[in-house]
Amino acid sequence: MQQDILINWSPQETRVAVVEFGAVQELHVERTLERGLVGNVYLGKVARVLPGMQSAFIDIGLERAAFLHVADLMSSVAARHTDNDKGEPAPVVPIEKQVFEGQALLVQVIKDPIGTKGARLSSQISIAGRLLVFLPQDQHIGVSQKIPFEQREALRQRLLALAEAAVQDGKTGGQTGGFILRTNGEDASDAELGEDIAYLRKTWTRIKEAAARLPPKSLLHQDLSLLQRVLRDLVSETTQTIRIDSAEQFKKLQTFGQEFTPGAVDKLQQYKGERPIFDLFNIDEEVGKALGRRVELKSGGYLIVDQTEALTTVDVNTGGFVGARNFDETIFKTNLEAAGAIARQLRLRNLGGIVIADFIDMTREDHREAVLAEFRKQLARDRVKTMVSGYSALGLVEMTRKRTRESLAHMLCEPCPVCEGKGSVKTARTVTYDILREILREARQFNPREFRVIASPDVIDVLLDEESQHLAGLSDFIGKPISLQAEGAMSQEQYDIVLM
């Protein structure tokens, strides 16, 4: 499998497309104004200590002071892991005995500011890598709880050996610290884990050096930008090229890569073509299709993708495909093509959580197994962890895909102001009947000179044409004239009844 990575950069937005087999498989978007603070490390200054709330406000140079609770102080975290003689957790030392106003404190943002609330902080620093999370103030070696229990101890011992070997080889400058193996590091090689250990310890060294050099309220470490995460997270052995259309960002990526990911630097290229870089593989067109419900298949069949709060459903339909020798073969061919298309759509749309795939019913068991095997084969190319449980009693394929970030639709779209996210609106006739009932209701409560209906042109057309007789009958019944006014700015469901 050959992979190309295309980067379209602008001061407002960075877009990264992962292309395999000549088609875009993943799209990552980061907007400058929407980039959060979580993960950033600051040298804060204690502005105020609140003993009654067991918390402190820390000035980290933002518009509002950030919030630090005693439970998030490193000394309190350590106390929770320390047993006293009675085998009980050690008591937490009050915050007023741990920090004081004017004190410089190394802190990390764990929750972004929301509304009038400032950011929430912790003094327990953690630095995320591609495969590991580094805990420089701790000695704990752990494994993600999402990894099967029976594999955790072996992985923990392996990680412990690698961390100790790096210290003994003198590659860490005498640093120790703890590590947590992330879910996507379950199948990583020793060499990959070793590279991540070196990268994380080097990052911590830079943070400490900056803390000793810079004044309080300084940003010491910013979580990697999308551009930098491309080199850390997306590049693999199958990556052929990483092309970027900005000369300035190309040089910055080279500098970053030479220090932290030297294996990826040779794959970097500056794109100088006249066409926009995303036009090389029609990426914008593919993204537009990925925001719709219907996905066309080359055979003439199609998928219907519906994303809800609880799960995502994918329905497979034969559509206009009638090319096989018999009906069973037609269904089998459609389902085989759909298996690859569904796997691609999950990656491109970044759909996570529970996914239900409703393949067309197949009568032959060998066809069912072949489609399931193809589906698993296509999902194996996904860098995000997936798990397929097979066919349910109702013939549906149930699976899960790890949530890593917001889906493409949630990032690029918002609920429709007309249908408010329902996906449909009332027909003009339905709205017409709502209006007639509302006029009758108003006539029983008020005694105006006239009723004026203001609605969309389609609704007014129905009232003037097909429902004109009913409108005239209602006017006679209530004894009041009813006038109509079309308003083009109104949606089909909107209307006003004005009492004149």
Side-chain angles (χ1 to χ4, degrees):
M1 178 180 69
Q2 296 178 344
Q3 181 188 87
D4 291 286
I5 298 175
L6 307 182
I7 304 174
N8 170 225
W9 184 87
S10 71
Q12 304 83 22
E13 182 182 60
T14 301
R15 299 190 300 165
V16 177
V18 178
V19 178
E20 296 169 2
F21 306 108
V24 59
Q25 305 291 329
E26 297 178 26
L27 181 73
H28 303 261
V29 179
E30 181 178 82
R31 289 170 175 165
T32 305
L33 293 177
E34 297 174 1
R35 189 176 177 188
L37 304 175
V38 173
N40 289 0
V41 179
Y42 295 85
L43 184 62
K45 183 177 182 180
V46 180
R48 190 178 174 193
V49 180
L50 304 173
M53 296 178 60
Q54 282 300 290
S55 59
F57 286 111
I58 313 294
D59 188 353
I60 56 174
L62 302 179
E63 182 180 348
R64 291 185 298 274
F67 179 81
L68 174 68
H69 190 264
V70 67
D72 296 316
L73 272 168
M74 186 57 209
S75 54
S76 301
V77 173
R80 289 201 295 269
H81 298 290
T82 304
D83 292 344
N84 57 24
D85 295 337
K86 297 180 181 179
E88 299 174 351
V92 175
V93 179
I95 193 167
E96 62 269 24
K97 295 185 179 180
Q98 299 189 61
V99 300
F100 54 88
E101 290 187 15
Q103 177 184 358
L105 196 63
L106 196 66
V107 290
Q108 184 172 37
V109 178
I110 58 175
K111 190 173 182 179
D112 279 321
I114 300 176
T116 59
K117 295 182 178 180
R120 180 157 182 173
L121 306 175
S122 172
S123 66
Q124 182 186 29
I125 310 299
S126 63
I127 308 170
R130 184 167 66 95
L131 307 170
L132 305 168
V133 175
F134 183 39
L135 307 174
Q137 303 145 306
D138 201 344
Q139 302 303 316
H140 174 68
I141 301 292
V143 177
S144 168
Q145 293 187 355
K146 294 183 180 179
I147 293 176
F149 178 79
E150 59 273 11
Q151 300 177 26
R152 289 183 208 161
E153 184 56 30
L155 288 170
R156 197 184 77 82
Q157 293 298 330
R158 180 174 156 219
L159 181 57
L160 180 62
L162 288 170
E164 290 178 346
V167 174
Q168 292 170 2
D169 291 344
K171 296 179 181 179
T172 66
Q175 296 181 40
T176 53
F179 291 93
I180 297 175
L181 182 70
R182 300 175 68 178
T183 309
N184 58 345
E186 179 181 354
D187 301 318
S189 66
D190 286 357
E192 290 174 319
L193 291 172
E195 287 180 5
D196 223 29
I197 289 172
Y199 159 74
L200 291 168
R201 282 177 163 152
K202 188 180 293 185
T203 301
W204 175 239
T205 298
R206 293 180 61 178
I207 292 173
K208 290 198 302 181
E209 291 173 349
R213 184 180 74 253
L214 298 174
K217 300 190 283 186
S218 297
L219 173 64
L220 307 179
H221 168 75
Q222 189 172 31
D223 197 29
L224 296 188
S225 67
L226 176 57
L227 280 178
Q228 295 165 327
R229 294 200 305 273
V230 168
L231 299 189
R232 187 190 72 182
D233 298 342
L234 301 185
V235 176
S236 65
E237 295 178 355
T238 61
T239 304
Q240 290 186 303
T241 60
I242 309 164
R243 285 179 272 184
I244 181 169
D245 59 3
S246 165
E248 178 186 358
Q249 299 303 320
F250 171 70
K251 293 176 181 177
K252 288 183 178 180
L253 267 187
Q254 275 190 319
T255 303
F256 174 82
Q258 287 165 355
E259 184 172 0
F260 293 105
T261 56
V265 174
D266 292 340
K267 300 176 181 181
L268 272 172
Q269 296 178 8
Q270 182 187 346
Y271 176 72
K272 300 179 180 179
E274 293 184 2
R275 296 172 60 196
I277 189 169
F278 271 25
D279 285 2
L280 296 180
F281 293 94
N282 296 320
I283 291 171
D284 286 324
E285 181 181 343
E286 289 296 317
V287 171
K289 292 178 182 177
L291 296 175
R293 291 182 67 227
R294 180 163 170 149
V295 179
E296 301 292 340
L297 303 178
K298 291 181 180 179
S299 64
Y302 62 91
L303 310 177
I304 297 293
V305 183
D306 283 313
Q307 184 182 357
T308 68
E309 290 293 329
L311 49 80
T312 297
T313 61
V314 185
D315 185 34
V316 183
N317 298 276
T318 54
F321 179 46
V322 292
R325 289 170 295 177
N326 56 56
F327 187 62
D328 285 347
E329 286 296 320
T330 299
I331 290 173
F332 179 52
K333 296 283 187 185
T334 304
N335 282 339
L336 275 180
E337 184 184 3
I342 293 171
R344 175 172 176 253
Q345 290 297 319
L346 294 180
R347 291 180 66 186
L348 182 57
R349 298 169 186 245
N350 195 37
L351 297 172
I354 300 171
V355 180
I356 305 295
D358 184 11
F359 289 98
I360 306 168
D361 290 339
M362 294 169 282
T363 56
R364 291 175 50 176
E365 187 62 28
D366 59 330
H367 283 178
R368 287 163 56 90
E369 293 304 318
V371 168
L372 192 60
E374 176 67 15
F375 191 37
R376 287 185 167 130
K377 175 185 172 184
Q378 296 291 337
L379 288 171
R381 298 181 177 135
D382 196 341
R383 73 182 75 254
V384 176
K385 188 172 183 179
T386 59
M387 185 178 70
V388 181
S389 60
Y391 294 98
S392 71
L394 298 176
L396 307 173
V397 175
E398 301 174 352
M399 63 163 289
T400 59
R401 185 174 185 270
K402 184 183 176 185
R403 294 185 190 274
T404 56
R405 52 192 166 90
E406 289 281 10
S407 70
L408 189 66
H410 283 162
M411 289 173 60
L412 303 183
C413 304
E414 62 183 8
C416 170
V418 176
C419 72
E420 297 179 345
K422 298 194 301 289
S424 59
V425 295
K426 292 180 179 179
T427 64
R429 187 181 300 277
T430 301
V431 177
T432 296
Y433 294 160
D434 287 343
I435 290 172
L436 295 178
R437 283 191 294 269
E438 183 65 23
I439 291 174
L440 184 59
R441 189 179 299 115
E442 296 287 341
R444 289 170 177 166
Q445 298 183 53
F446 305 102
N447 186 30
R449 177 171 50 84
E450 175 188 342
F451 290 91
R452 176 168 296 175
V453 177
I454 304 174
S456 69
D458 288 344
V459 173
I460 297 298
D461 287 345
V462 173
L463 285 167
L464 289 172
D465 186 12
E466 301 166 36
E467 300 298 331
S468 58
Q469 186 175 352
H470 292 147
L471 184 66
L474 178 61
S475 178
D476 290 341
F477 179 76
I478 63 177
K480 304 289 182 183
I482 301 173
S483 60
L484 306 177
Q485 178 181 330
E487 179 55 64
M490 281 186 164
S491 69
Q492 189 157 286
E493 288 191 356
Q494 289 180 305
Y495 65 86
D496 283 322
I497 299 175
V498 182
L499 309 183
M500 305 294 288

